Amino acid sequence: VAAVVGAQLIFHGEPTPGGGFQGGVVLAGATAALYACGSVPRYVRTMRPAHVVEALAALSYPAIGIAAIVLGLSLLENFVDVGTVSHLWSGGTIFFLNVGVGVAVWAAMSGLLVAFLEQLRLRLHKSSATAPLTDTSASTSAANHREPSGERA
């Protein structure tokens, strides 16, 4: 459902409130939900090339601007038929800009989640590798019987 809402925000960004950034964030939330339903290593392997997708999507913005210049127009000037007001194709090149921004934001946010998960995995691995092999009941009871430090919680 979140992926459909994200795509709707991206595709209908010019005639309605929404757009590429909002839709990309919602798509990244849908991707994070996939992570929550599956395994971290599989998610990280799948999303590792997100930075490549992000870079390619980010290049769509200047590519559309340069295409306008090549056609003899101003930078980012519309060169696509604008269609009927309030329809999907009513925004001209804005539709394509929204799609590029949406994919770039989705990939960037998903890439950030991958980076956070890898850092968490490394920290957990490091802490489990250095944890002493002691009786946990003794350390738990010692932690429960600490003297108050005088600080308020």
Side-chain angles (χ1 to χ4, degrees), residues 134-145:
T134 60
D135 182 21
T136 57
S137 61
S139 62
T140 304
S141 63
N144 290 337
H145 297 292

Side-chain angles (χ1 to χ4, degrees), residues 9 34 47 51 74 79 87 89 98 115 137 148 152:
L9 284 171
L34 288 176
M47 294 308 301
H51 65 280
S74 298
F79 57 87
H87 286 89
W89 298 107
N98 275 337
S137 61
R152 291 185 180 185

Side-chain angles (χ1 to χ4, degrees), residues 25-57:
V25 170
V26 172
L27 283 177
T31 306
L34 288 176
Y35 146 73
C37 296
S39 69
V40 174
R42 183 180 310 142
Y43 175 80
V44 170
R45 276 193 313 273
T46 304
M47 294 308 301
R48 199 172 302 257
H51 65 280
V52 175
V53 174
E54 177 189 4
L56 292 174

Side-chain angles (χ1 to χ4, degrees), residues 7-19 86-88 95 98:
Q8 190 274 337
L9 284 171
I10 292 171
F11 293 146
H12 295 279
E14 72 274 354
T16 63
S86 79
H87 286 89
L88 182 61
F95 172 79
N98 275 337

Side-chain angles (χ1 to χ4, degrees), residues 12 20 30 32 39 49 60 67 78 120 133 143 151 153:
H12 295 279
S39 69
S60 69
N78 185 37
L120 179 63
L133 298 175
E151 296 180 15

